[in-house]
Amino acid sequence: MYEQNHLIAGLRAASLGREEEVFAHLPDGGKVTFGALFTGAEQMASALEASGVKPGDRVAAQVSKTIETIQLYLGTVMAGAVFLPLNTAYTTSEIAYFIGDANPSLVVCDPARLEDTTAISGEARVLTLDSSGRGSLRDLADAQGGFDPIQRAPWDLAAILYTSGTTGRSKGAMLSHDNLLSNSTVLRDYWHFTDTDVLIHALPIFHTHGLFVATNVALLAGAQVVFLPGFDVDAILDAMPSSTALMGVPTFYTRLLADGRLTKERAANMRLFISGSAPLLVDTHEQWQARTGHRILERYGMTETNMSTSNPYDGDRRAGTVGFPLPGVEARVMADGQEVPVGEIGVLEVRGANVFQGYWQMPEKTAEELREDGWFITGDLARIDADGYVTIVGREKDLIITGGFNVYPKEIESLIDDLPGVLESAVIGVPHPDFGEAVVAIVVPDAAGVDAGAITDALADRLAKFKQPKHVALVQALPRNTMGKVQKKALREEYAGLFG
Ligand code: AMP
């Protein structure tokens, strides 16, 4: 029997006896203590119970990033229920799919969407929370007292996060209490987080990065957070002199670099800059080091696995790699049912306490991607070098097969990105009558500028003929989602007709 709520007991341990100390600094100058955070979370748990939420039920939330949303997450877990955060950018018809699939007993939305959300929520009760943390859920919570967290075992579900669903239907990744607690504990220790840290929290909290990596690691360390509603260059630069760590996606770093106020002096109090969720360009890594004196620590993970690899804290942080498998995580690279020799490319598989419990109500999908012996097939192409560093070379579905040859977009993108006048690039395969697929490069020039012919010429003697782009398109920006991932599917659709 488990006497406690596994995740909540873990997240609360570091701040016991420190209830009066500050957890979050809010943009309006307000402060939230650890005591206030957890008391509010208990009131949320009581409010959920009063609304009919039972252990094991799903609580869906499409709400802004506020402390109340963090309390809703913690309160849901305290109530023994399963938290289901939804991207605030999703439309009502997209939300209808998630609600139909997950069948939550409670849906929390912004008051402005109450009518639309109620119309698609069926039997579920609908309550509200707005961008200042007010609404019918908060009113109900304010009227409640304390709450004794419901006992939950390590394997009980704490959250379902839907994958971005770039191919086919979005799938609900089921994450257990221990998936979350074990991974954040490893990250806290690997990245040396303690109660002396002040983390700049500017990531969205409907995604694994901001909700679990940033929030759980800070709570487990008993650290403070500068809680920002979203990415904001001014706010981050203002916070830097009194903060110690930043977790971001690569676009955070490129946007901060574009601001002249980013200097060594401003970053002098910082001890750690972490990047993940999308590949960090080597160029960004180098520029960051030149400007701030810090080497960005890049890590790799996904919704289904939490974090799997990280560059070392003390050792060599190698640009372009995602470091080593984290303690307790195994990684291997497979092709044709076998592990590939060192340095060769294949599909990355990972195994460990970090790996999810399967896809919600999709046993066939789960069986396709999660082997019976615990290895999860990530769908990312990778290689592991002789020193053990993992390099991600792209998604398997982005692999280009042209005239029967495999082309890894990252190899070509890296060469193009190094050319003068280039800011960044995305290489895709589009249908071609002769070759099946043709290599196409979409290139964003930097301020100095570049023309397509110069790129083609520069690649001519550096790449085998079949790898050379058959077309180079210059664009102002690459399409990205909120987590900074380049949307290659959108690019493939846009350029699909290029070769007739
Ligand atoms: P998500 O489930 O939304 O977190 O997306 C996970 C995917 O993001 C992974 O399967 C990778 O394709 C990509 N990803 C995450 N971190 C990195 C990284 N550091 N470098 C390259 N790709 C990454």
Side-chain angles (χ1 to χ4, degrees), residues 394-413:
R395 296 291 295 164
E396 191 181 17
K397 63 177 191 304
D398 294 332
L399 175 76
I400 304 165
I401 304 180
T402 178
F405 293 112
N406 285 359
V407 176
Y408 300 102
K410 173 98 182 259
E411 182 191 357
I412 305 166
E413 288 161 1

Side-chain angles (χ1 to χ4, degrees), residues 122-136:
E123 302 283 283
R125 178 141 188 217
V126 184
L127 294 171
T128 60
L129 266 187
D130 68 13
S131 57
S132 32
R134 310 266 7 147
S136 57

Side-chain angles (χ1 to χ4, degrees), residues 312-333:
Y313 188 80
D314 290 318
D316 185 13
R317 297 179 194 166
R318 288 197 193 158
T321 82
V322 293
F324 307 116
L326 285 161
V329 178
E330 296 171 88
R332 67 183 186 188
V333 176

